[in-house]
Amino acid sequence: MLAPVPDEDGAPFFAYAARGELRVQCCADCGEPRFPPRPCCPHCQSFDCLWKKLSGRGRIWSYVLPHPPLLPAYAAQAPYNVVLVELADAPRIRLVGNLVAARDAALNSVPPERIRIGAPVKAAFHATEGGLTVVRWLLERP
């Protein structure tokens, strides 16, 4: 399975995820949240930032069911989903992940017919085999 490769700007996101916290980078000067993390604020050009803890709640903004799976490692889990989640605390931020039945469940653990645009979700944190923790999503109303 593909795993993210954190860079210097994004490393704190994964460090917080390993602690079970969803945090996004925010400008320390103008307060605007930004994702993906980067060194400079696109709004005021400040290089000062902080990591704001969020509720971990959001809604499905969009999703896809890859057909056929593009990589062999994913074929055994088809049909699986990839969701784009709009964060409740920062609606201009959208995170990509998978909707699963439990944080360590298979990528195909939620039947495709249960996925709806606008469905409320909450973050769950899954430790990958490589030791990195990624954010997955659970339906608020299973």
Side-chain angles (χ1 to χ4, degrees):
M1 305 301 279
L2 291 176
V5 179
D7 60 10
E8 183 179 336
D9 296 316
F13 176 83
F14 293 100
Y16 288 119
R19 295 182 358 201
E21 297 178 7
L22 181 62
R23 291 186 182 240
V24 296
Q25 187 186 49
C26 293
C27 179
D29 289 334
C30 73
E32 284 292 322
R34 58 186 186 249
F35 197 89
R38 49 196 175 270
C40 180
C41 176
H43 302 281
C44 73
Q45 287 69 53
S46 171
F47 285 90
D48 295 327
C49 72
L50 50 87
W51 287 82
K52 181 179 176 185
K53 185 175 181 179
L54 302 180
S55 68
R57 290 188 156 44
R59 68 179 190 93
I60 297 175
W61 192 79
S62 185
Y63 71 95
V64 296
L65 303 169
H67 294 286
L70 301 177
L71 298 171
Y74 292 86
Q77 297 199 54
Y80 62 93
N81 64 75
V82 179
V83 295
L84 187 60
V85 173
E86 177 183 72
L87 300 179
D89 306 355
R92 290 195 320 228
I93 303 266
R94 296 184 184 113
L95 299 181
V96 175
N98 302 100
L99 184 66
V100 292
R103 71 178 184 175
D104 296 324
L107 298 183
N108 62 2
S109 61
V110 174
E113 60 272 10
R114 298 217 37 235
I115 304 170
R116 298 281 183 265
I117 301 294
V121 293
K122 59 184 174 184
F125 302 92
H126 170 73
T128 66
E129 290 179 18
L132 194 65
T133 299
V134 296
V135 177
R136 290 180 163 189
W137 300 95
L138 306 173
L139 288 169
E140 286 266 3
R141 293 177 224 125

mmCIF file of all heavy atoms in Angstrom, residues 60 77 80-83 85 97-111 114-115 120-126 134-142:
data_model
loop_
_atom_site.group_PDB
_atom_site.id
_atom_site.type_symbol
_atom_site.label_atom_id
_atom_site.label_comp_id
_atom_site.label_asym_id
_atom_site.label_seq_id
_atom_site.Cartn_x
_atom_site.Cartn_y
_atom_site.Cartn_z
ATOM 1 N N ILE A 60 -18.399 14.454 4.111
ATOM 2 C CA ILE A 60 -17.884 13.990 2.829
ATOM 3 C C ILE A 60 -18.240 15.025 1.771
ATOM 4 O O ILE A 60 -19.408 15.344 1.559
ATOM 5 C CB ILE A 60 -18.447 12.599 2.460
ATOM 6 C CG1 ILE A 60 -17.984 11.560 3.490
ATOM 7 C CG2 ILE A 60 -18.012 12.202 1.044
ATOM 8 C CD1 ILE A 60 -18.577 10.173 3.298
ATOM 9 N N GLN A 77 -8.607 -5.292 -2.363
ATOM 10 C CA GLN A 77 -9.551 -4.555 -1.519
ATOM 11 C C GLN A 77 -10.663 -3.875 -2.320
ATOM 12 O O GLN A 77 -11.500 -3.195 -1.752
ATOM 13 C CB GLN A 77 -8.793 -3.537 -0.675
ATOM 14 C CG GLN A 77 -7.830 -4.221 0.278
ATOM 15 C CD GLN A 77 -7.420 -3.328 1.413
ATOM 16 O OE1 GLN A 77 -8.257 -2.793 2.123
ATOM 17 N NE2 GLN A 77 -6.123 -3.176 1.591
ATOM 18 N N TYR A 80 -12.999 -0.289 -3.128
ATOM 19 C CA TYR A 80 -12.688 0.552 -1.976
ATOM 20 C C TYR A 80 -13.007 1.993 -2.358
ATOM 21 O O TYR A 80 -13.364 2.280 -3.498
ATOM 22 C CB TYR A 80 -11.226 0.400 -1.540
ATOM 23 C CG TYR A 80 -10.223 0.818 -2.587
ATOM 24 C CD1 TYR A 80 -9.722 2.108 -2.598
ATOM 25 C CD2 TYR A 80 -9.780 -0.062 -3.560
ATOM 26 C CE1 TYR A 80 -8.824 2.512 -3.560
ATOM 27 C CE2 TYR A 80 -8.874 0.323 -4.529
ATOM 28 C CZ TYR A 80 -8.398 1.616 -4.523
ATOM 29 O OH TYR A 80 -7.505 2.014 -5.474
ATOM 30 N N ASN A 81 -12.916 2.889 -1.388
ATOM 31 C CA ASN A 81 -13.271 4.280 -1.628
ATOM 32 C C ASN A 81 -12.123 5.204 -1.305
ATOM 33 O O ASN A 81 -11.227 4.849 -0.532
ATOM 34 C CB ASN A 81 -14.494 4.669 -0.787
ATOM 35 C CG ASN A 81 -14.180 4.595 0.695
ATOM 36 O OD1 ASN A 81 -13.490 5.451 1.237
ATOM 37 N ND2 ASN A 81 -14.675 3.555 1.354
ATOM 38 N N VAL A 82 -12.159 6.365 -1.878
ATOM 39 C CA VAL A 82 -11.286 7.478 -1.509
ATOM 40 C C VAL A 82 -12.219 8.664 -1.327
ATOM 41 O O VAL A 82 -12.971 9.005 -2.244
ATOM 42 C CB VAL A 82 -10.229 7.772 -2.591
ATOM 43 C CG1 VAL A 82 -9.357 8.953 -2.173
ATOM 44 C CG2 VAL A 82 -9.372 6.542 -2.867
ATOM 45 N N VAL A 83 -12.206 9.242 -0.125
ATOM 46 C CA VAL A 83 -13.112 10.355 0.173
ATOM 47 C C VAL A 83 -12.337 11.651 0.329
ATOM 48 O O VAL A 83 -11.167 11.664 0.715
ATOM 49 C CB VAL A 83 -13.959 10.087 1.446
ATOM 50 C CG1 VAL A 83 -14.897 8.922 1.247
ATOM 51 C CG2 VAL A 83 -13.085 9.881 2.670
ATOM 52 N N VAL A 85 -12.804 14.976 2.486
ATOM 53 C CA VAL A 85 -13.572 15.435 3.647
ATOM 54 C C VAL A 85 -13.323 16.920 3.893
ATOM 55 O O VAL A 85 -12.182 17.357 4.021
ATOM 56 C CB VAL A 85 -13.197 14.610 4.903
ATOM 57 C CG1 VAL A 85 -13.855 15.199 6.150
ATOM 58 C CG2 VAL A 85 -13.595 13.157 4.715
ATOM 59 N N GLY A 97 -8.749 10.787 2.203
ATOM 60 C CA GLY A 97 -8.563 9.589 3.028
ATOM 61 C C GLY A 97 -9.516 8.501 2.580
ATOM 62 O O GLY A 97 -10.042 8.536 1.471
ATOM 63 N N ASN A 98 -9.735 7.562 3.460
ATOM 64 C CA ASN A 98 -10.647 6.452 3.173
ATOM 65 C C ASN A 98 -11.712 6.392 4.254
ATOM 66 O O ASN A 98 -11.433 6.622 5.426
ATOM 67 C CB ASN A 98 -9.900 5.124 3.139
ATOM 68 C CG ASN A 98 -8.787 5.114 2.120
ATOM 69 O OD1 ASN A 98 -7.636 5.290 2.467
ATOM 70 N ND2 ASN A 98 -9.125 4.939 0.859
ATOM 71 N N LEU A 99 -12.934 6.077 3.845
ATOM 72 C CA LEU A 99 -14.028 5.852 4.779
ATOM 73 C C LEU A 99 -14.005 4.373 5.144
ATOM 74 O O LEU A 99 -14.068 3.510 4.263
ATOM 75 C CB LEU A 99 -15.363 6.221 4.117
ATOM 76 C CG LEU A 99 -16.591 6.123 5.002
ATOM 77 C CD1 LEU A 99 -16.540 7.162 6.128
ATOM 78 C CD2 LEU A 99 -17.847 6.324 4.153
ATOM 79 N N VAL A 100 -13.860 4.084 6.445
ATOM 80 C CA VAL A 100 -13.748 2.701 6.914
ATOM 81 C C VAL A 100 -14.723 2.466 8.066
ATOM 82 O O VAL A 100 -15.221 3.409 8.675
ATOM 83 C CB VAL A 100 -12.296 2.376 7.357
ATOM 84 C CG1 VAL A 100 -11.347 2.360 6.160
ATOM 85 C CG2 VAL A 100 -11.790 3.363 8.401
ATOM 86 N N ALA A 101 -14.961 1.189 8.375
ATOM 87 C CA ALA A 101 -15.882 0.828 9.459
ATOM 88 C C ALA A 101 -15.233 0.973 10.831
ATOM 89 O O ALA A 101 -15.927 1.177 11.832
ATOM 90 C CB ALA A 101 -16.384 -0.600 9.260
ATOM 91 N N ALA A 102 -13.929 0.865 10.911
ATOM 92 C CA ALA A 102 -13.153 1.030 12.142
ATOM 93 C C ALA A 102 -11.752 1.469 11.732
ATOM 94 O O ALA A 102 -11.326 1.209 10.602
ATOM 95 C CB ALA A 102 -13.097 -0.278 12.926
ATOM 96 N N ARG A 103 -11.031 2.100 12.635
ATOM 97 C CA ARG A 103 -9.745 2.702 12.244
ATOM 98 C C ARG A 103 -8.762 1.741 11.600
ATOM 99 O O ARG A 103 -7.976 2.120 10.752
ATOM 100 C CB ARG A 103 -9.102 3.416 13.423
ATOM 101 C CG ARG A 103 -8.581 2.480 14.475
ATOM 102 C CD ARG A 103 -7.914 3.227 15.575
ATOM 103 N NE ARG A 103 -7.361 2.253 16.508
ATOM 104 C CZ ARG A 103 -6.645 2.562 17.522
ATOM 105 N NH1 ARG A 103 -6.364 3.796 17.773
ATOM 106 N NH2 ARG A 103 -6.200 1.624 18.310
ATOM 107 N N ASP A 104 -8.796 0.460 12.001
ATOM 108 C CA ASP A 104 -7.875 -0.516 11.434
ATOM 109 C C ASP A 104 -8.543 -1.466 10.446
ATOM 110 O O ASP A 104 -7.960 -2.474 10.057
ATOM 111 C CB ASP A 104 -7.195 -1.313 12.560
ATOM 112 C CG ASP A 104 -6.322 -0.421 13.435
ATOM 113 O OD1 ASP A 104 -5.700 0.512 12.899
ATOM 114 O OD2 ASP A 104 -6.273 -0.644 14.662
ATOM 115 N N ALA A 105 -9.756 -1.132 10.019
ATOM 116 C CA ALA A 105 -10.501 -1.988 9.092
ATOM 117 C C ALA A 105 -9.929 -1.875 7.680
ATOM 118 O O ALA A 105 -9.214 -0.926 7.337
ATOM 119 C CB ALA A 105 -11.970 -1.589 9.086
ATOM 120 N N ALA A 106 -10.267 -2.846 6.864
ATOM 121 C CA ALA A 106 -9.845 -2.843 5.461
ATOM 122 C C ALA A 106 -10.463 -1.661 4.723
ATOM 123 O O ALA A 106 -11.512 -1.141 5.119
ATOM 124 C CB ALA A 106 -10.265 -4.153 4.798
ATOM 125 N N LEU A 107 -9.831 -1.257 3.634
ATOM 126 C CA LEU A 107 -10.321 -0.123 2.851
ATOM 127 C C LEU A 107 -11.693 -0.384 2.238
ATOM 128 O O LEU A 107 -12.406 0.552 1.896
ATOM 129 C CB LEU A 107 -9.327 0.235 1.743
ATOM 130 C CG LEU A 107 -7.945 0.685 2.196
ATOM 131 C CD1 LEU A 107 -7.110 1.084 0.991
ATOM 132 C CD2 LEU A 107 -8.021 1.811 3.206
ATOM 133 N N ASN A 108 -12.087 -1.639 2.125
ATOM 134 C CA ASN A 108 -13.392 -1.973 1.547
ATOM 135 C C ASN A 108 -14.431 -2.327 2.620
ATOM 136 O O ASN A 108 -15.431 -2.959 2.333
ATOM 137 C CB ASN A 108 -13.258 -3.123 0.547
ATOM 138 C CG ASN A 108 -12.745 -4.399 1.190
ATOM 139 O OD1 ASN A 108 -12.517 -4.470 2.392
ATOM 140 N ND2 ASN A 108 -12.547 -5.420 0.370
ATOM 141 N N SER A 109 -14.205 -1.880 3.853
ATOM 142 C CA SER A 109 -15.091 -2.255 4.966
ATOM 143 C C SER A 109 -16.417 -1.497 4.983
ATOM 144 O O SER A 109 -17.329 -1.879 5.708
ATOM 145 C CB SER A 109 -14.363 -2.086 6.303
ATOM 146 O OG SER A 109 -13.981 -0.731 6.492
ATOM 147 N N VAL A 110 -16.542 -0.439 4.198
ATOM 148 C CA VAL A 110 -17.808 0.286 4.092
ATOM 149 C C VAL A 110 -18.355 0.043 2.693
ATOM 150 O O VAL A 110 -17.707 0.381 1.696
ATOM 151 C CB VAL A 110 -17.628 1.800 4.345
ATOM 152 C CG1 VAL A 110 -18.922 2.557 4.084
ATOM 153 C CG2 VAL A 110 -17.141 2.056 5.764
ATOM 154 N N PRO A 111 -19.544 -0.550 2.593
ATOM 155 C CA PRO A 111 -20.126 -0.801 1.268
ATOM 156 C C PRO A 111 -20.321 0.519 0.510
ATOM 157 O O PRO A 111 -20.746 1.521 1.100
ATOM 158 C CB PRO A 111 -21.474 -1.450 1.577
ATOM 159 C CG PRO A 111 -21.382 -1.926 2.991
ATOM 160 C CD PRO A 111 -20.410 -1.023 3.682
ATOM 161 N N ARG A 114 -23.306 2.918 0.975
ATOM 162 C CA ARG A 114 -23.475 3.680 2.224
ATOM 163 C C ARG A 114 -22.801 5.052 2.170
ATOM 164 O O ARG A 114 -22.964 5.869 3.076
ATOM 165 C CB ARG A 114 -22.887 2.892 3.402
ATOM 166 C CG ARG A 114 -23.613 1.578 3.591
ATOM 167 C CD ARG A 114 -23.825 1.118 5.003
ATOM 168 N NE ARG A 114 -24.121 2.144 5.951
ATOM 169 C CZ ARG A 114 -23.416 2.341 7.087
ATOM 170 N NH1 ARG A 114 -22.388 1.580 7.377
ATOM 171 N NH2 ARG A 114 -23.757 3.279 7.924
ATOM 172 N N ILE A 115 -22.046 5.312 1.137
ATOM 173 C CA ILE A 115 -21.302 6.573 1.042
ATOM 174 C C ILE A 115 -22.192 7.630 0.404
ATOM 175 O O ILE A 115 -22.758 7.412 -0.666
ATOM 176 C CB ILE A 115 -20.011 6.385 0.228
ATOM 177 C CG1 ILE A 115 -19.160 5.263 0.840
ATOM 178 C CG2 ILE A 115 -19.218 7.689 0.177
ATOM 179 C CD1 ILE A 115 -17.994 4.839 -0.026
ATOM 180 N N PRO A 120 -21.900 13.145 7.625
ATOM 181 C CA PRO A 120 -20.969 13.547 8.678
ATOM 182 C C PRO A 120 -20.010 12.412 9.028
ATOM 183 O O PRO A 120 -20.410 11.250 9.138
ATOM 184 C CB PRO A 120 -21.872 13.896 9.860
ATOM 185 C CG PRO A 120 -23.178 13.239 9.580
ATOM 186 C CD PRO A 120 -23.275 13.013 8.116
ATOM 187 N N VAL A 121 -18.738 12.782 9.195
ATOM 188 C CA VAL A 121 -17.690 11.807 9.513
ATOM 189 C C VAL A 121 -16.815 12.345 10.631
ATOM 190 O O VAL A 121 -16.827 13.532 10.949
ATOM 191 C CB VAL A 121 -16.826 11.490 8.267
ATOM 192 C CG1 VAL A 121 -17.632 10.762 7.204
ATOM 193 C CG2 VAL A 121 -16.195 12.743 7.693
ATOM 194 N N LYS A 122 -16.051 11.427 11.231
ATOM 195 C CA LYS A 122 -15.080 11.826 12.255
ATOM 196 C C LYS A 122 -13.769 11.114 11.969
ATOM 197 O O LYS A 122 -13.734 10.015 11.404
ATOM 198 C CB LYS A 122 -15.587 11.509 13.655
ATOM 199 C CG LYS A 122 -15.883 10.052 13.897
ATOM 200 C CD LYS A 122 -16.479 9.837 15.274
ATOM 201 C CE LYS A 122 -16.898 8.375 15.425
ATOM 202 N NZ LYS A 122 -17.552 8.117 16.678
ATOM 203 N N ALA A 123 -12.680 11.750 12.368
ATOM 204 C CA ALA A 123 -11.336 11.223 12.118
ATOM 205 C C ALA A 123 -11.047 10.013 12.992
ATOM 206 O O ALA A 123 -11.480 9.933 14.142
ATOM 207 C CB ALA A 123 -10.293 12.308 12.374
ATOM 208 N N ALA A 124 -10.309 9.086 12.418
ATOM 209 C CA ALA A 124 -9.766 7.924 13.132
ATOM 210 C C ALA A 124 -8.321 7.805 12.689
ATOM 211 O O ALA A 124 -7.970 8.186 11.569
ATOM 212 C CB ALA A 124 -10.551 6.665 12.779
ATOM 213 N N PHE A 125 -7.479 7.304 13.544
ATOM 214 C CA PHE A 125 -6.049 7.291 13.270
ATOM 215 C C PHE A 125 -5.555 5.861 13.146
ATOM 216 O O PHE A 125 -5.713 5.068 14.062
ATOM 217 C CB PHE A 125 -5.315 8.065 14.365
ATOM 218 C CG PHE A 125 -5.804 9.479 14.460
ATOM 219 C CD1 PHE A 125 -6.829 9.818 15.329
ATOM 220 C CD2 PHE A 125 -5.285 10.460 13.638
ATOM 221 C CE1 PHE A 125 -7.315 11.114 15.394
ATOM 222 C CE2 PHE A 125 -5.762 11.763 13.692
ATOM 223 C CZ PHE A 125 -6.771 12.090 14.575
ATOM 224 N N HIS A 126 -4.962 5.560 11.985
ATOM 225 C CA HIS A 126 -4.523 4.209 11.652
ATOM 226 C C HIS A 126 -3.000 4.181 11.512
ATOM 227 O O HIS A 126 -2.440 4.927 10.701
ATOM 228 C CB HIS A 126 -5.176 3.770 10.342
ATOM 229 C CG HIS A 126 -4.630 2.509 9.778
ATOM 230 N ND1 HIS A 126 -4.888 1.274 10.334
ATOM 231 C CD2 HIS A 126 -3.823 2.289 8.713
ATOM 232 C CE1 HIS A 126 -4.270 0.347 9.616
ATOM 233 N NE2 HIS A 126 -3.615 0.940 8.635
ATOM 234 N N VAL A 134 -1.894 7.531 9.715
ATOM 235 C CA VAL A 134 -2.669 8.284 8.730
ATOM 236 C C VAL A 134 -4.082 8.493 9.257
ATOM 237 O O VAL A 134 -4.566 7.750 10.109
ATOM 238 C CB VAL A 134 -2.708 7.569 7.364
ATOM 239 C CG1 VAL A 134 -1.307 7.483 6.765
ATOM 240 C CG2 VAL A 134 -3.335 6.192 7.465
ATOM 241 N N VAL A 135 -4.727 9.521 8.719
ATOM 242 C CA VAL A 135 -6.103 9.813 9.101
ATOM 243 C C VAL A 135 -7.031 9.038 8.171
ATOM 244 O O VAL A 135 -6.884 9.074 6.951
ATOM 245 C CB VAL A 135 -6.404 11.319 9.013
ATOM 246 C CG1 VAL A 135 -7.855 11.605 9.353
ATOM 247 C CG2 VAL A 135 -5.474 12.102 9.927
ATOM 248 N N ARG A 136 -7.972 8.333 8.776
ATOM 249 C CA ARG A 136 -9.059 7.675 8.071
ATOM 250 C C ARG A 136 -10.343 8.282 8.597
ATOM 251 O O ARG A 136 -10.326 9.052 9.556
ATOM 252 C CB ARG A 136 -9.033 6.158 8.310
ATOM 253 C CG ARG A 136 -7.861 5.467 7.643
ATOM 254 C CD ARG A 136 -7.905 4.011 7.915
ATOM 255 N NE ARG A 136 -7.073 3.258 7.000
ATOM 256 C CZ ARG A 136 -7.086 1.950 6.948
ATOM 257 N NH1 ARG A 136 -7.874 1.236 7.745
ATOM 258 N NH2 ARG A 136 -6.303 1.310 6.104
ATOM 259 N N TRP A 137 -11.474 7.893 8.007
ATOM 260 C CA TRP A 137 -12.741 8.526 8.383
ATOM 261 C C TRP A 137 -13.788 7.474 8.714
ATOM 262 O O TRP A 137 -13.872 6.446 8.052
ATOM 263 C CB TRP A 137 -13.214 9.440 7.244
ATOM 264 C CG TRP A 137 -12.195 10.502 6.994
ATOM 265 C CD1 TRP A 137 -11.195 10.478 6.058
ATOM 266 C CD2 TRP A 137 -12.020 11.689 7.740
ATOM 267 N NE1 TRP A 137 -10.419 11.606 6.176
ATOM 268 C CE2 TRP A 137 -10.902 12.367 7.200
ATOM 269 C CE3 TRP A 137 -12.693 12.275 8.812
ATOM 270 C CZ2 TRP A 137 -10.455 13.595 7.687
ATOM 271 C CZ3 TRP A 137 -12.252 13.494 9.305
ATOM 272 C CH2 TRP A 137 -11.155 14.129 8.740
ATOM 273 N N LEU A 138 -14.565 7.756 9.736
ATOM 274 C CA LEU A 138 -15.669 6.902 10.189
ATOM 275 C C LEU A 138 -16.967 7.687 10.042
ATOM 276 O O LEU A 138 -17.007 8.889 10.326
ATOM 277 C CB LEU A 138 -15.506 6.529 11.660
ATOM 278 C CG LEU A 138 -14.183 5.898 12.089
ATOM 279 C CD1 LEU A 138 -14.147 5.751 13.600
ATOM 280 C CD2 LEU A 138 -13.989 4.558 11.408
ATOM 281 N N LEU A 139 -18.039 7.010 9.634
ATOM 282 C CA LEU A 139 -19.337 7.667 9.583
ATOM 283 C C LEU A 139 -19.775 8.014 11.003
ATOM 284 O O LEU A 139 -19.610 7.208 11.927
ATOM 285 C CB LEU A 139 -20.383 6.750 8.934
ATOM 286 C CG LEU A 139 -20.245 6.549 7.431
ATOM 287 C CD1 LEU A 139 -21.159 5.416 6.965
ATOM 288 C CD2 LEU A 139 -20.548 7.841 6.683
ATOM 289 N N GLU A 140 -20.315 9.204 11.198
ATOM 290 C CA GLU A 140 -20.818 9.616 12.516
ATOM 291 C C GLU A 140 -22.000 8.760 12.927
ATOM 292 O O GLU A 140 -22.174 8.471 14.084
ATOM 293 C CB GLU A 140 -21.242 11.082 12.493
ATOM 294 C CG GLU A 140 -20.094 12.040 12.469
ATOM 295 C CD GLU A 140 -19.687 12.517 13.849
ATOM 296 O OE1 GLU A 140 -20.269 12.068 14.857
ATOM 297 O OE2 GLU A 140 -18.781 13.354 13.904
ATOM 298 N N ARG A 141 -22.812 8.369 11.949
ATOM 299 C CA ARG A 141 -23.971 7.520 12.207
ATOM 300 C C ARG A 141 -23.784 6.226 11.427
ATOM 301 O O ARG A 141 -24.202 6.129 10.279
ATOM 302 C CB ARG A 141 -25.256 8.231 11.763
ATOM 303 C CG ARG A 141 -25.545 9.446 12.606
ATOM 304 C CD ARG A 141 -26.786 10.178 12.106
ATOM 305 N NE ARG A 141 -26.450 11.595 12.108
ATOM 306 C CZ ARG A 141 -26.537 12.396 11.074
ATOM 307 N NH1 ARG A 141 -26.976 11.956 9.922
ATOM 308 N NH2 ARG A 141 -26.213 13.662 11.169
ATOM 309 N N PRO A 142 -23.138 5.222 12.046
ATOM 310 C CA PRO A 142 -22.846 3.978 11.320
ATOM 311 C C PRO A 142 -24.065 3.218 10.852
ATOM 312 O O PRO A 142 -25.150 3.411 11.187
ATOM 313 C CB PRO A 142 -22.071 3.137 12.309
ATOM 314 C CG PRO A 142 -21.983 3.871 13.575
ATOM 315 C CD PRO A 142 -22.682 5.196 13.406
#
